[in-house]
Every structure is written in structure tokens, then in C-alpha cells.
Amino acid sequence: MSLRQQKRRKLALLSMALLMFGITACSSSSTESGGSSADSFKLWLGWNATINNQSMVQTYWKEKEPGIDVRLEATQGDVMTELNLKLNTGGFDDAALFSRSDVVTTAMTRSGTVLPLEQYFDMPDKYPGLASIPKIYLDQMKAPDGHIYSIPTWFDQNPDDPWPGWASYGWFVRTDVLEKTGMTIDDLKSLDGIEKFLGLAAKQKDANGKLLIPLSFLSDAGDENVILSTFGVTVSTAGGVIPVEKQGDDYQFIYDNPQYKAAYQWMNNMFREGLLDHEAITDKKERYKEKNKAGRVAMNAGGFFNMDAQLWEVLDGPTDPAWYYDVISYPKVDNVSEIGANQIINPYPANDVFINKNTKNLDSILAFFDYTLQPKPEQQQVVNEGPPGVFWDWVDKPLGKWVYSDVNYKALHDSGDQAKKASTTPELYAASSYSNDWYPWWNYGVTDPKGRFKTIEFTEKIGKMGGTRVAQNYDMVKAKPGGLWEKYLPELDNVRKEYKAKLIMAKDDSQFEQAWSDFQAALEKRAHWSELKQEWHEELQGN
């Protein structure tokens, strides 16, 4: 063997030894750190949330399936302000999950920072979950340049047989207070009955001797829409720019409905008579929940999730004021034949995942959402709480009843403490899809605490009250890129928020009428209302 050959052999042996040392060191390091290494990416959530990136479900994702470490970050404060700030200062790191919005989609695509994704929906061998997304959803998502810039999530797996969804918007009364007034639920079937109850409830006191708040709602979450709906005003869309209702061959926009004014007149009357919570306009969710928990409120209008369903779901009997909440029928208003739609069944995606085009973790992001979007009826439960047999399991058979099987997980999850709940799951069901074949919270197999079933009872009752209907094409009219809706929709919303406060809190009839007149003028001058409606009709005809 020549000297050159001996040197080559020694170098090869040295290289092999170094390589084996490196492999051993990596293996040792991985073992010493407590488990196998996982792919990782950061996911920015477009909503406020309590985050614990060591949650049990996230740990399962990292260590078991799909083997990915998902690091969450939530927005703080105003979502759109934070979105614009982040896009103007370099963008998010890897991926962002936001509620679907024309404003969000436009901001993301115009920033030039997000990746076109259409190719990944046509790779069934590599990404079967992404390839299973119904094409009708993907076709609707194509941008003018032909690209698809987001992964859709939280959609119905079967658009031809959609799940009806939670119906949570209604009227709720404390039956213990109702009993003290000498009235019954049957007495609350008309608006006159509601007013009589509120007057009597105003004289009742809570456990601390303070006079009750007769009626409250969380205006910050749009709860007054329940009252608008009661007056016959459609307040919901299916992703469209504005609530609209068909009337014969024409369409009536929400702010043009005379009942819109009538509803606010009623709220103003209740406000002036001291029967409507004077903090309803300014309260934030936590303050509103505190009032309900403390038993300060006799009647609520709005969404029961805003009231905080946890208040009664953790109860097994009449130990707290929240136990006595019951849902009542929408009260009858004179000259209103049917209530306005406040929930429109829309099988289309409610969320979008955007991916930074410069991410170094593309494979991990795609693999994770391929996992969350597997077309199984139970997949939202799997994403939210882990797979069956880990923290929960079937009682008898798949797609039947289920219960939590991990005692520690259940105790923390159901503690009523948001920080403890966050240690179990990030509640990322919004990253999955759903099916009419099985819905987890209508199949929970535990009979206690009994309060948990009040929520199911509420939603089933509300769903039969007439405020729910299936989406029509006019419910889904979008803003034209570069058009007037895109330009003026934020200001239209500003006008609505500004004047709903002025209308509700007007000191007398004269001030109310002035606020209404100013509202109509602001719609035209600031939001270009007539022009917006014209463009809406053009977009509807073009679809």
C-alpha cells in the first residue's frame, strides 16, 4: 500500500469515527433532554388566548403524533392593529392562524410575505389531509392571480350535509329572580312582559344587598344583536361584507331596516329607565363575566358563551346564581312576524392559515395541518383534546359517547381556572374541521356535573326559535379587491360602533333623534353608504 493510500485510509477511518461520535453524541443529548427531538414551528393566533406551550396536548404532538413542537403566540389587544404592526415590522415567523376576513386576507397578500400554497392541496400521497379539503372551498379562495394564499380550516367536511352549529344567541332569565317577582316564564313571551319583569327585577337585591341589574349584555361582543334580531333585523352573514335579507326581488340592508332604529329606541328607553346596565357599552368580557358569576344580573340578552357557560357547567346544583339561568323564547314584538337571522349555517371555512414565504419550517407546518385536517368526524376532538385512549376515550364505541379517561387532565380542564385549563390543551380545534356525523359536546358521556348539560339544552332550544337559516349567495358577497367595500368597510364599522353607543345612551327622545340623524349622515359622508350598496349589487350579479 502506497503512502498516499495509507493517508487516505487513515482519513476515511478518522472521518467515520467522527461521524459515529457525532451520532452517539446527538443520541445521548436527545436522550438526556428527555425524549426524541421534534420538528418545530411558531404559530401566531389571531385572537386573545391564555397560552401554555407545555400543555399536555402540545406535549403529545411533540413526543408522539404528529411529532411536531407547535409553539403558540396569541395577539394582545386589538387584532387588526397588531396584525398591521407585525406585517410592517418584518411579519410573523412561520405561520399565522386567523379568523377569515377580507381585511386580513388583503393585508396578508398585499404584504408580499405569504407563500402561495395551491400545489400542496394536490399531493394526496404526501399530504392526504390537505388533499381531502373539498374543492368547492379551494376554488372560492383563488386570488385574482390564480394563487391560493392560505390553508382553510374550521370548515364542514361535508358541505352538502352541514352541521347546524351551536346556536348561542338568545334571552336568558334567572329563574330564582323570576320567582321572587311573582312572574312565570310564560309571562315573558312578549316585550311588554319583559319590560314588566325588568321593572320588578330592579327592586330585587343580590346576596350582598345590592339592587340587581335588570338587563345586561356585552356590547363589546355585539350582544345587542339579539335585541335587533328580536325586532326582525337580520344581523348575521356567511362571510359577506354586510347583513342583508331578501325581500321579494330586492334586498334590505341592515341599516336601512326601520326596525334597526326601533330596536335601538327600545334599548334607549330601557337605559333611560335604569333597566339596562349602564355599563353595557363599556364593559369588557371579564368584567361582564364577573357580574354574572356574582349574581348581579337578572336577565341577559346575547350569546351564552359571552355570559360564560363555564359558570353553570361546573355546577351540580343550586349553589351559585348561574345555576338558575334558563333560556326563554324570543319575546314577541308588535308588527314583527318573525325574528331576524342571527346565525347563518355556513359550511365554508371560518379560518385561514398563512405561511411566511421565508419560513425555514415549511415541512413541519404542512405536516401539522395535514394532521389536523384529516377528514374524520372526530378530528376536531382529536385536535382539541388528543386522540382517543390518551386523555379521553369512547364509552362504548367510536362515534358514540365519550368521557375523559385521564383524571388529572379532567380536573385541570374542568377547574374553571383558565390558566389550569391552558395547561391541558390550547383548544386549537379552529385548526381542524367538523362533521354532522358526530359532534363531541353533544355526546359527552358524563351525567355530572349537571350544569354541563344546561349548555346543550340551551343551544337545542335556541336552534328551534327561528334565528337560524342556511347561507344564501347574498350572505357571502365579498369585498372586491381595490373596491369601495375594501376601502370603506373599516370606517363603516367605526360609524356603527360610535353611533350604537350614542343611540343607546341618549338622554331623551330629542337627543336620540339627533343621534339617529347624525348616524344616517355619517353613513353617507364617512362610509359612502349608497356607493357601497351599489357596488354590493354589482358584485352579487357578477357571482
Side-chain angles (χ1 to χ4, degrees):
M1 181 182 294
S2 67
L3 182 62
R4 181 177 295 176
Q5 289 174 319
Q6 289 178 12
K7 286 183 177 180
R8 285 177 178 170
R9 184 180 181 190
K10 287 180 180 179
L11 284 171
L13 289 172
L14 179 61
S15 298
M16 181 64 73
L18 289 171
L19 177 62
M20 292 304 295
F21 176 79
I23 292 173
T24 303
C26 288
S27 175
S28 174
S29 174
S30 174
T31 302
E32 290 173 2
S33 66
S36 60
S37 61
D39 293 330
S40 177
F41 74 93
K42 294 179 181 179
L43 179 60
W44 186 37
L45 303 179
W47 52 81
N48 299 326
T50 302
I51 299 296
N52 179 343
N53 278 314
Q54 305 302 318
S55 74
M56 297 181 190
V57 169
Q58 284 167 275
T59 300
Y60 179 88
W61 292 341
K62 177 182 177 180
E63 296 179 352
K64 302 291 185 181
E65 185 184 23
I68 297 170
D69 183 14
V70 184
R71 313 297 294 177
L72 302 176
E73 174 191 359
T75 51
Q76 304 297 328
D78 183 73
V79 171
M80 290 310 305
T81 299
E82 190 161 339
L83 172 63
N84 289 326
L85 179 63
K86 184 154 286 198
L87 291 179
N88 290 327
T89 54
F92 52 90
D93 293 308
D94 293 315
L97 174 59
F98 272 70
S99 295
R100 175 162 290 188
S101 158
D102 294 331
V103 177
V104 170
T105 299
T106 299
M108 289 288 192
T109 53
R110 283 186 178 171
S111 72
T113 63
V114 295
L115 186 71
L117 301 170
E118 61 276 357
Q119 62 177 309
Y120 304 111
F121 302 123
D122 197 25
M123 297 181 178
D125 293 337
K126 188 173 184 180
Y127 300 119
L130 299 182
S132 72
I133 298 171
K135 299 303 180 190
I136 190 173
Y137 302 153
L138 297 174
D139 289 342
Q140 182 219 35
M141 293 170 58
K142 288 182 180 177
D145 62 7
H147 290 305
I148 298 175
Y149 286 96
S150 64
I151 298 172
T153 68
W154 202 239
F155 53 80
D156 202 302
Q157 295 170 10
N158 306 297
D160 295 329
D161 181 25
W163 175 65
W166 285 91
S168 63
Y169 284 95
W171 291 79
F172 303 86
V173 69
R174 287 255 308 278
T175 54
D176 57 334
V177 177
L178 183 67
E179 184 177 351
K180 289 178 181 178
T181 66
M183 298 180 68
T184 68
I185 284 183
D186 281 344
D187 296 326
L188 304 177
K189 290 184 176 180
S190 70
L191 208 57
D192 287 342
I194 295 289
E195 293 175 12
K196 179 181 177 182
F197 168 74
L198 296 180
L200 294 172
K203 301 173 184 177
Q204 304 297 321
K205 295 182 179 181
D206 66 12
N208 295 319
K210 293 182 179 179
L211 288 173
L212 291 181
I213 300 167
L215 174 64
S216 191
F217 55 74
L218 184 62
S219 184
D220 193 50
D223 272 352
E224 67 274 7
N225 280 343
V226 163
I227 297 173
L228 289 166
S229 180
T230 303
F231 276 75
V233 181
T234 289
V235 295
S236 184
T237 75
V241 289
I242 193 77
V244 177
E245 194 58 71
K246 199 169 191 304
Q247 288 194 331
D249 295 329
D250 205 356
Y251 301 89
Q252 185 175 65
F253 294 80
I254 180 170
Y255 306 130
D256 295 339
N257 189 332
Q259 290 300 107
Y260 186 90
K261 179 182 180 182
Y264 276 103
Q265 279 179 315
W266 185 82
M267 286 184 262
N268 176 241
N269 288 335
M270 296 302 99
F271 185 90
R272 283 154 50 188
E273 292 175 18
L275 302 180
L276 173 61
D277 188 353
H278 277 207
E279 296 176 325
I281 292 293
T282 56
D283 266 346
K284 298 301 181 184
K285 184 169 287 189
E286 289 309 312
R287 171 65 177 149
Y288 180 62
K289 288 180 178 180
E290 288 172 9
K291 289 180 179 179
N292 295 323
K293 181 176 177 59
R296 297 282 299 118
V297 182
M299 176 175 279
N300 300 71
F304 61 64
F305 289 116
N306 296 333
M307 293 165 61
D308 191 4
Q310 279 284 314
L311 296 181
W312 54 77
E313 286 183 350
V314 299
L315 302 178
D316 201 34
T319 54
D320 277 44
W323 175 263
Y324 295 98
Y325 273 120
D326 199 359
V327 63
I328 63 173
S329 300
Y330 278 70
K332 183 73 175 67
V333 177
D334 290 342
N335 302 317
V336 175
S337 58
E338 58 184 27
I339 68 174
N342 53 54
Q343 178 175 337
I344 296 177
I345 301 171
N346 179 10
Y348 281 77
N351 302 310
D352 287 293
V353 179
F354 299 91
I355 300 177
N356 190 314
K357 67 180 183 182
N358 296 319
T359 180
K360 297 182 177 3
N361 300 301
L362 179 60
D363 290 343
S364 298
I365 298 168
L366 293 173
F368 179 71
F369 286 101
D370 185 68
Y371 167 75
T372 68
L373 293 173
Q374 294 179 59
K376 301 175 182 177
E378 72 274 23
Q379 193 62 15
Q380 63 161 301
Q381 172 78 347
V382 171
V383 173
N384 206 56
E385 313 279 8
V390 180
F391 305 120
W392 66 277
D393 211 344
W394 305 110
V395 171
D396 44 14
K397 59 182 180 180
L399 303 188
K401 298 290 185 182
W402 67 275
V403 294
Y404 287 112
S405 54
D406 184 303
V407 175
N408 182 48
Y409 185 96
K410 181 180 187 300
L412 292 169
H413 186 280
D414 293 350
S415 65
D417 183 320
Q418 192 56 42
K420 290 181 179 178
K421 187 176 185 180
S423 73
T424 63
T425 172
E427 294 189 286
L428 212 59
Y429 62 87
S432 65
S433 57
Y434 54 90
S435 169
N436 202 19
D437 291 337
W438 188 78
Y439 184 73
W441 290 105
W442 291 353
N443 288 281
Y444 189 52
V446 173
T447 57
D448 62 297
K450 296 182 179 67
R452 181 181 297 276
F453 295 91
K454 290 173 74 72
T455 299
I456 297 172
E457 178 187 347
F458 289 170
T459 197
E460 289 180 335
K461 285 183 178 179
I462 294 170
K464 299 173 183 177
M465 291 181 183
T468 302
R469 65 167 172 78
V470 177
Q472 304 297 318
N473 60 344
Y474 54 84
D475 297 311
M476 296 183 280
V477 175
K478 305 289 186 183
K480 180 173 68 175
L484 297 174
W485 277 100
E486 187 177 280
K487 182 177 181 180
Y488 294 118
L489 186 56
E491 185 60 15
L492 179 65
D493 199 45
N494 290 338
V495 169
R496 177 190 64 83
K497 289 178 180 178
E498 177 183 337
Y499 282 95
K500 77 173 182 180
K502 291 181 177 180
L503 291 168
I504 289 175
M505 297 190 294
K507 295 179 180 179
D508 51 38
D509 290 343
S510 176
Q511 192 176 85
F512 179 89
E513 290 298 333
Q514 185 61 54
W516 180 258
S517 178
D518 292 344
F519 174 49
Q520 299 302 302
L523 284 174
E524 285 297 336
K525 185 174 182 180
R526 290 166 50 184
H528 299 253
W529 183 230
S530 294
E531 297 172 53
L532 289 178
K533 289 187 289 185
Q534 178 62 36
E535 185 177 89
W536 184 92
H537 281 283
E538 293 169 358
E539 288 300 297
L540 177 65
Q541 293 170 4
N543 290 339

